[in-house]
């Protein structure tokens, strides 16, 4: 039976930064899509995109806090 791998958190801040970058890119793409197709979209579809971007923004804030926590933990 294989031993479980030890929990390696040394690259967590970098991984979280990458996730933030991808999330920001998704937000930009959603805004660009909305701008390009706004005349063809219903108000509900526009609101859904805006709501999703709001949730993404909230996630980014949480991830930024998580980075701070990880960096503080690594300093100990």
């Amino acid at each position: 039976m294989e031993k479980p791998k030890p929990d390696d958190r040394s690259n967590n801040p970098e991984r979280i930064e990458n996730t933030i970058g991808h999330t920001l890119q998704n937000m930009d793409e959603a805004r660009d899509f909305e701008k390009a197709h706004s005349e063809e979209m219903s108000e509900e579809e526009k609101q859904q995109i805006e709501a999703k971007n709001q949730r993404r923004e909230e996630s980014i804030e949480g991830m930024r806090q998580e980075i701070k926590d990880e960096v503080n933990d690594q300093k100990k």
Side-chain angles (χ1 to χ4, degrees), residues 40-56:
E40 305 146 21
M41 296 172 70
S42 70
E43 276 306 309
E44 182 179 351
E45 290 170 320
K46 292 176 190 177
Q47 289 175 357
Q48 288 172 349
I49 289 173
E50 290 168 18
K52 186 153 190 167
N53 273 352
Q54 180 62 41
R55 289 190 302 275
R56 286 174 171 145

Side-chain angles (χ1 to χ4, degrees), residues 8-34:
D8 179 13
R9 298 174 155 248
S10 62
N11 68 342
N12 274 5
E14 182 181 326
R15 286 186 316 106
I16 296 167
E17 279 292 335
N18 287 337
T19 302
I20 289 172
H22 289 293
T23 303
L24 289 169
Q25 184 178 357
N26 288 341
M27 290 175 69
D28 288 341
E29 288 173 6
R31 284 187 196 111
D32 290 345
F33 181 85
E34 185 179 3

Side-chain angles (χ1 to χ4, degrees), residues 33-75:
F33 181 85
E34 185 179 3
K35 284 179 188 175
H37 302 283
S38 64
E39 291 180 11
E40 305 146 21
M41 296 172 70
S42 70
E43 276 306 309
E44 182 179 351
E45 290 170 320
K46 292 176 190 177
Q47 289 175 357
Q48 288 172 349
I49 289 173
E50 290 168 18
K52 186 153 190 167
N53 273 352
Q54 180 62 41
R55 289 190 302 275
R56 286 174 171 145
E57 189 68 46
E58 292 166 5
S59 289
I60 288 171
E61 290 306 314
M63 287 185 273
R64 287 184 174 143
Q65 184 58 50
E66 195 174 339
I67 288 173
K68 289 177 187 174
D69 294 345
E70 288 289 335
V71 170
N72 288 335
D73 286 347
Q74 288 179 2
K75 288 180 181 178

